[in-house]
Amino acid sequence: MEESGRTTSEAEGTTAGFRCVQCGFPIKTLYIQYSPGNIRLMKCGNCKAVADEYIECELMILMIDLILHKPKAYRHLFYNVLGEGRANFESLLGKSILAYLVLEFYRMWALITNEIERPLSLSAVSFVMDFGKMLTIVIIGNAAFLCSLLLAARKFLNAPTGFHGWKWILLVVLVSSYFKIFLMAMMVWDFPSSVIYIIDIFVMSSNIVALKVVTDSDMARCLAVCVIAHGIKFLAGHYSAVILQTNDKMLCP
């Protein structure tokens, strides 16, 4: 039966690049809006299910499904929220890099203070030196991580199906590292250093699911790429710390 007198507003639902969250099939329209607050969700032409039920869900539902590593939640986030034309890509990438580095710096600070079991020196000179060392280790480790991840992704994964080429992979990895936010809880409560490594494991598992979703590659290949990248990051950070400590001993015999 044909509906009469409807006002169809598809300005927010017809941008190219949408995906069905169930099967990943491309879809032109996620919903049709008849009037403010009155929408009809579209069905996927491939799996015949509702293309994206998260449109009508609370943000908390999406966050829970992301924590549970549900691929459909990642498809909604990367294709239907952050996809082409729905976000300022360059600005989002810059902010993601900055937030990632800040959380990585805090992770390094938390590890050092927990393992040494003492706060950083209150001396201005010592504090600046400690700050510089940690910043250097963080930059070297994460530069090695991102470079090795992109190189491994080019070698083992399918070409990205998103926009902006391999910058899209970089954004996907940074955003899917959201588990690092839980490090902020260590500002309020005391946790052993093992909690930091547990968070690292969750970050890597989230990266694996995100890469699988945006590249449609095998889980084993995504696992291999993330293990290689995170392993190189650990080695680069470890050896840069050793080199800095060796230089300190040579300067201060």
Side-chain angles (χ1 to χ4, degrees), residues 117-171:
E117 296 183 350
R118 65 171 177 82
L120 296 179
S121 175
L122 296 179
S123 167
V125 176
S126 298
F127 178 81
V128 171
M129 291 181 63
D130 289 339
F131 182 90
K133 292 175 190 176
M134 288 190 292
L135 186 60
T136 301
I137 294 171
V138 167
I139 291 176
I140 292 175
N142 284 280
F145 167 69
L146 295 176
C147 290
S148 59
L149 184 136
L150 290 176
L151 290 174
R154 285 178 179 270
K155 178 69 175 179
F156 297 109
L157 304 184
N158 300 326
T161 56
F163 58 103
H164 290 284
W166 291 95
K167 287 184 180 180
W168 178 233
I169 292 291
L170 178 59
L171 179 64

Side-chain angles (χ1 to χ4, degrees), residues 64-221:
I64 291 173
D65 283 354
L66 286 172
I67 292 173
L68 295 176
H69 289 9
K70 291 187 177 181
K72 64 179 184 178
Y74 285 82
R75 290 191 185 101
H76 169 79
L77 177 63
F78 292 122
Y79 287 115
N80 300 341
V81 175
L82 302 179
E84 184 176 6
R86 291 175 288 282
N88 186 329
F89 181 80
E90 299 298 335
S91 175
L92 181 60
L93 180 60
K95 291 176 181 178
S96 298
I97 292 174
L98 178 60
Y100 182 87
L101 290 177
V102 168
L103 291 172
E104 276 289 295
F105 183 85
Y106 179 74
R107 174 189 176 277
M108 177 65 63
W109 177 83
L111 269 177
I112 291 176
T113 54
N114 278 13
E115 292 181 353
I116 300 178
E117 296 183 350
R118 65 171 177 82
L120 296 179
S121 175
L122 296 179
S123 167
V125 176
S126 298
F127 178 81
V128 171
M129 291 181 63
D130 289 339
F131 182 90
K133 292 175 190 176
M134 288 190 292
L135 186 60
T136 301
I137 294 171
V138 167
I139 291 176
I140 292 175
N142 284 280
F145 167 69
L146 295 176
C147 290
S148 59
L149 184 136
L150 290 176
L151 290 174
R154 285 178 179 270
K155 178 69 175 179
F156 297 109
L157 304 184
N158 300 326
T161 56
F163 58 103
H164 290 284
W166 291 95
K167 287 184 180 180
W168 178 233
I169 292 291
L170 178 59
L171 179 64
V172 165
V173 170
L174 294 174
V175 173
S176 64
S177 300
Y178 59 86
F179 268 100
K180 291 184 181 292
I181 295 176
F182 292 103
L183 290 169
M184 306 306 290
M186 301 185 74
M187 290 184 175
V188 182
W189 298 287
D190 291 329
F191 292 100
S193 299
S194 58
V195 172
I196 299 176
Y197 296 113
I198 292 173
I199 291 176
D200 289 343
I201 292 173
F202 277 107
V203 168
M204 186 170 70
S205 64
S206 179
N207 293 158
I208 293 170
V209 176
L211 287 176
K212 176 174 173 54
V213 165
V214 300
T215 64
D216 292 324
S217 301
D218 294 337
M219 182 65 76
R221 289 178 176 269

Side-chain angles (χ1 to χ4, degrees), residues 33-75:
Q33 180 174 336
Y34 299 102
S35 61
N38 181 19
I39 66 174
R40 176 167 68 88
L41 300 182
M42 303 301 293
K43 290 188 177 181
C44 173
N46 182 51
C47 65
K48 309 304 179 183
V50 172
D52 191 348
E53 70 269 23
Y54 289 106
I55 293 174
E56 293 186 328
C57 292
E58 297 289 338
L59 179 61
M60 185 58 66
I61 301 298
L62 174 63
M63 293 176 63
I64 291 173
D65 283 354
L66 286 172
I67 292 173
L68 295 176
H69 289 9
K70 291 187 177 181
K72 64 179 184 178
Y74 285 82
R75 290 191 185 101

